[in-house]
Amino acid sequence: MDDDIRDILIGRASIAKRLDELAAQMLADHTEAGHEPAELTLVPILTGAMIFASDLIRRLPVKMQIRVMSISSYPGDATTSRGASVEAALTRIPESLAGLHVVLIDDILDTGTTLLKASELLRAKGPASLKTCVLLRKERDVPPVIEADYVAFSVPDEFVVGYGLDYDDYYRNLPDIAVLKPEVFGGDGHSDDADAAGER
Ligand code: XMP
């Protein structure tokens, strides 16, 4: 696996440090002065946010529920989003989110289509509050259609893998965030290389 890596963009120590900061900020934002932090409902989007979310939630010592959501945006062999649709069979969101403080978690904010779709679905269920949190935000020429409330890191507009992010469902277990060698894609590694496959 390591032979396929061109560059490590963000190493595991930086990720761990940034997650400490992010969790502290999230706790503070959900704590009214003189009160305990509010109960949270965390909604990770499968599969890419799995590792990020599992490390983040262990830094949040609050009463919490976890409700997963699955969204398909990369059908077949593409690295550019082709719209986003909710996969009902893998999505576990209750009918109503009334009274709940929800934090939606995704791996990477690219065009923003996925985060917008997911947050619209959650907002329609009437949560007390809704925040969005992403591990990575791509620095694109065209800004995303939605911004996230919490962003751990910005990355250049390249196809990245590791720490939950995949290429053809591989490399999710890489502890760092990295860019693959071009020969692995059969292109230059840019996210619009048509033949590279990206699965959630
Ligand atoms: P949008 O365009 O909807 O895309 O913001 C978000 C989803 O697309 C996937 N994505 C990537 N996956 N490396 C990946 O492994 C990348 O560089 C990348 N860019 C986008 C990801 O599933 C994200 O949730």
Side-chain angles (χ1 to χ4, degrees):
M1 182 168 72
D2 289 352
D3 288 348
D4 294 344
I5 306 297
R6 190 197 77 193
D7 294 308
I8 290 185
L9 294 184
I10 305 164
R12 60 200 81 179
S14 306
I15 297 173
K17 185 167 172 285
R18 183 71 184 114
L19 259 63
D20 287 342
E21 295 169 0
L22 210 60
Q25 189 190 340
M26 208 174 271
L27 272 185
D29 290 350
H30 289 89
T31 307
E32 274 182 46
H35 290 77
E36 289 289 300
E39 176 177 334
L40 297 179
T41 301
L42 273 278
V43 181
I45 299 180
L46 297 174
T47 304
M50 206 173 72
I51 292 175
F52 173 42
S54 66
D55 280 348
L56 184 65
I57 61 179
R58 284 176 289 173
R59 289 168 162 84
L60 295 168
V62 296
K63 195 170 176 193
M64 150 185 321
Q65 288 187 323
I66 298 167
R67 308 284 194 170
V68 296
M69 186 180 246
S70 178
I71 298 204
S72 157
S73 65
Y74 276 34
D77 58 348
T79 53
T80 47
S81 175
R82 295 177 186 168
S85 58
V86 177
E87 294 179 323
L90 293 171
T91 295
R92 295 273 182 275
I93 311 292
E95 278 297 298
S96 168
L97 292 170
L100 298 175
H101 296 278
V102 177
V103 182
L104 174 63
I105 302 178
D106 203 4
D107 52 0
I108 186 163
L109 180 64
D110 191 351
T111 64
T113 313
T114 305
L115 202 66
L116 183 64
K117 179 94 182 178
S119 51
E120 279 173 349
L121 186 145
L122 296 178
R123 206 177 296 284
K125 291 173 181 282
S129 70
L130 174 64
K131 299 273 192 198
T132 54
C133 173
V134 293
L135 172 67
L136 305 175
R137 180 189 185 282
K138 270 196 188 172
E139 291 157 357
R140 316 170 72 244
D141 292 339
V142 182
V145 293
I146 184 175
E147 290 292 351
D149 297 301
Y150 303 98
V151 177
F153 300 99
S154 287
V155 287
D157 188 8
E158 292 191 282
F159 197 80
V160 296
V161 297
Y163 201 67
L165 292 124
D166 73 303
Y167 172 67
D168 202 13
D169 237 351
Y170 292 103
Y171 308 104
R172 294 193 197 275
N173 56 326
L174 198 72
D176 312 299
I177 295 162
V179 177
L180 296 171
K181 289 179 181 164
E183 54 265 34
V184 179
F185 296 99
D188 64 6
H190 268 264
S191 52
D192 50 5
D193 284 344
D195 287 333
E199 297 287 331
R200 295 183 157 277

